[in-house]
Every structure is written in structure tokens, then in C-alpha cells.
Amino acid sequence: MKALESTAPLIVYIDIKSPYAFVSIKPTLALEKTLGCQFDWRPLTLDIPSYLGSAEKRDGVVVSSEGRSQRTWRSIRQSYREARRYAERQGHMLKGTEKIWDSSIANIAILWVMQRRPERMKAYLEAVYPPFWQRLLDIEDVSVVADCLERAGIESAGFDAFQQGDGRVQHDQLAGQLHPAGLFGVPSYVLDGEVFFGREHLPYLHWCLTGKQGQAPDVAYDPDGGLPC
Amino acid sequence: MLTVYIDFKSPESYLALQPLLALAEETGCGLRWQPFRSRQRELPEHSPDPELTTSHGRIREAYRQRINRRYAALQGLSLDRPPGNDGTDTALTALLGADGDATAFVVAAFKAHWQDHKNLDEWDVVASLLASAACDSKQLSSDALDRHQHDIEAEGIVSDPALVVAGEVFIGRAHIPLVRQLLNQRTE
């Protein structure tokens, strides 16, 4: 798998532990449905401490923090506020996480779904994202992720072996290609080999994927997570 | 009233100018322009993988430049400018001290920086822009800008352009559709 290449019209990189990816799911799925095609959904497991420092909370209180300045903390809090605002308008709850999760198992499940039941991707994302952001899922537990797959109507037999074996190898090989390909965050979209970071580009991507009719749109977040216009 | 925090040297603020002016005209809301001294994105002081940290910062910055140029082209704008001409504190201090509607000064200052490549850290340049925009500004010290920056960062103004409506902060012009809804709700 090459980071910028696909037979699908659009590659979508996401990470289950990203609140920005969470609020991008609804409008991205809306675009996929409108276009009547299958996007190439892929995992991009963020190494958050490498660019935002690390922290752990207990009962909402920060108990440890490393490498984060006050300015970084303010930026993170502001970004969460904005993501929460849009999540609420989409009908979701978004609770700040208590720690930086290892989301690799839940992200390898994205590969599992794409390789077996890509048409069930929406169901998997809906089974894992909202409960995780309500702090109801331990996504580091493989049985929890397997249960999400089953609830999405996707066979999970063999998933544990996949996430430890082939799936982990594919995930790690992809991760090694990300920076050289210009990919650094989620959600990221790849159209004709070009990277677009953030759901604010969905209006522009929609315009490109529907024949570039009329004036090209500027960046914009749909207030209610609907189809990018 | 929509409060907007900007920096004249920031491409993100520049790209938000026309969409914000259009929003103000469409909704009839006034724009209260405030300065924000933009800075480069901060990297963590201690990283488990310093090489990855550096790589992330470099790739993110390259992306930022590329994507801004793409959207600038859609607006018919150029983001080319002479290297080193990025001091804007004098113009930002003038904006902080501006009386009344500073829109004409803001438009003139963005044009001076990005199209005419003038130095917005020179008082003569800024005074000329204020005069041409018929904008009065109290002559504040640079300390006033420092204090303002300190205060607004504590309030969550962490980047630019920052849009504040009904006490709620939104960073970036991508929020304009939601801000439009909020402004319309307030006038209904």
C-alpha cells in the first residue's frame, strides 16, 4: 500500500483517538454517499507526544504533563472546545480523554474492514467513534474492538491474529511512509496524490470530485456536519 | 458585532479578509478589528523522538504554505513577499489604539503588506495608512500591545484569525458558516 496511491477517488486518513477526525466522519460519509462511491479509508495513528507533548488526567485534573507549554495547553483546549461545539451539533457527545490512547488496534480494524467489508465502514466508524468519545470504550482492548466489528456486522474471527500480524505490519509500513508523503495529521484526504489536512477542505474536494462546476469554494466547516456545499 | 483578531503578516488573516467583509455586508453586523501578534507554531520542549518532532514541524509548515497558496490563488491573491519584511507591531499597536470602525485601515494595511510590500513596523508607513483611511488612533506604547497579547491569549485567542461572537472563540475562517448562523440568530 502506497500512502498517496489508491484506485478509489479519495483516500481518507483517520485516527480513532482524534477529536478532529471524529467530527469529520459525518460530513465525509455524507460526501461518500452523495458521490455514490467507496472511499479508501486508512489509519494514521498519531504520535501525539512528538508534536504536542504528553499529558495524563485523572477525574478531569491533569496529573502529569511533559513538554507542553501554557501556550500549547491553551491551543489544545481551544481546539477541543471547537471540536465539542461541532460534535454537539452533530448529535454527539465529546468528552476530553484522560490519557493519550494507543489507538493502533482500533485503527488496524479500519484495514480489516477495508479488506473484507468496505461497504460496512460507516457501521464500524459509528460503532467505535461515538462510544469512545463518551469514554465508554477501552480501545486498547482487542476484544472491545472485535465487539465493535461484530456490532457493525463484520466478522471478527481472526482479527486478533491480524492486528498482531499482517494488519500490524501493514499499519506500521504505512506509518513509515506518512511524513515522506507529506501526511502529518488527521483527518487527511488525498486527491490525485495531493494532501488536504482537515475537514474544512471537504467543500473544495466535493467541487473537484463533481467536475469543478462554478466557482471553487473556500475552506468551510459545515455547522451541522452535513454534506459540504 | 463580530470581533476579529488578526495579524497583517499572517496569510491566514489575509485570506480571511474578503470572506469576513462579505459576511459583514451580508449579515449587517459590525466588525471590531483587534490585533493578534502571530507566531510560529510551538514544538514540545521535550520529545520522546526529537527527529520525529522536527520532521512533523517541517512538514506541517510546508503544508501550511502550500495550502494557503492554493486558496489564495482562488481569491486571486499572491502570498509572495520579500523575505524579512514581517514586522507588523507598529501597525498592530495602531490598530489597538484605533477609534471607531477600523475597517478601512485594516484593508489598507493588508494591501500595503501583501501587495505593496511596505514595512508595517515603520511609523511613517502606518501613519500614512491611518491618514488615508481617515482612522484616528491613540499613540499607544508597544507595552500596550504586549499586555493586550497576554490578556487575549489567556482568553483563548491562541491563533489568527480568531472570530469572537457572543463570547465564543473560533479560530480560522472555516468557521464562518457557523458564525453566520450565530449572527443571524442574534438578530432574529
Side-chain angles (χ1 to χ4, degrees), chain A residues 13-29:
Chain A
Y13 282 95
I14 54 172
D15 184 347
I16 304 300
K17 70 173 174 292
S18 162
Y20 324 119
F22 178 33
V23 291
S24 77
I25 297 302
K26 190 176 174 185
T28 307
L29 286 169

Side-chain angles (χ1 to χ4, degrees), chain A residues 93-171:
Chain A
M93 185 184 290
L94 194 160
K95 291 184 176 177
T97 55
E98 299 270 279
K99 66 171 188 175
I100 297 174
W101 290 81
D102 176 355
S103 53
S104 61
I105 297 172
N107 286 343
I108 291 169
I110 293 168
L111 294 171
W112 175 265
V113 177
M114 279 305 296
Q115 290 166 22
R116 284 156 183 81
R117 300 287 303 278
E119 77 283 3
R120 303 297 301 164
M121 183 59 74
K122 176 175 186 283
Y124 172 66
L125 297 175
E126 288 175 349
V128 67
Y129 262 116
F132 174 69
W133 285 99
Q134 290 176 55
R135 296 187 191 157
L136 298 175
L137 286 190
D138 177 357
I139 57 167
E140 292 175 356
D141 182 338
V142 67
S143 67
V144 168
V145 176
D147 184 54
C148 289
L149 289 167
E150 291 290 344
R151 281 190 287 115
I154 302 153
E155 178 79 36
S156 69
F159 175 67
D160 191 11
F162 179 77
Q163 68 88 15
Q164 293 183 65
D166 281 356
R168 178 72 56 178
V169 169
Q170 290 171 36
H171 169 272

Side-chain angles (χ1 to χ4, degrees), chain A residues 47 50-51 67 69 71-72 74 78 82 85-86 89 179 184 194-195 197 201 204 218-221, chain B residues 39-40 42 44 52-53 55-56 59 63 66 70-71 153 168-171 173-175 178 181-182:
Chain A
D47 183 341
S50 74
Y51 64 94
S69 66
R71 195 172 154 220
T72 300
R74 284 173 177 157
Q78 174 59 26
E82 291 179 358
R85 183 74 150 100
Y86 286 93
R89 290 185 66 112
H179 274 191
F184 58 90
E194 187 177 359
V195 176
F197 168 57
H201 302 295
Y204 181 79
D218 197 7
V219 293
Y221 301 130
Chain B
R39 288 181 291 193
Q40 207 164 24
E42 214 169 57
L52 190 63
T53 300
S55 166
H56 181 99
I59 291 161
Y63 169 82
R66 178 177 64 76
R70 171 177 280 286
Y71 284 99
E153 286 190 5
E168 203 169 349
V169 179
F170 299 95
I171 308 291
R173 72 188 190 281
H175 295 288
L178 178 54
Q181 279 193 6
L182 296 174

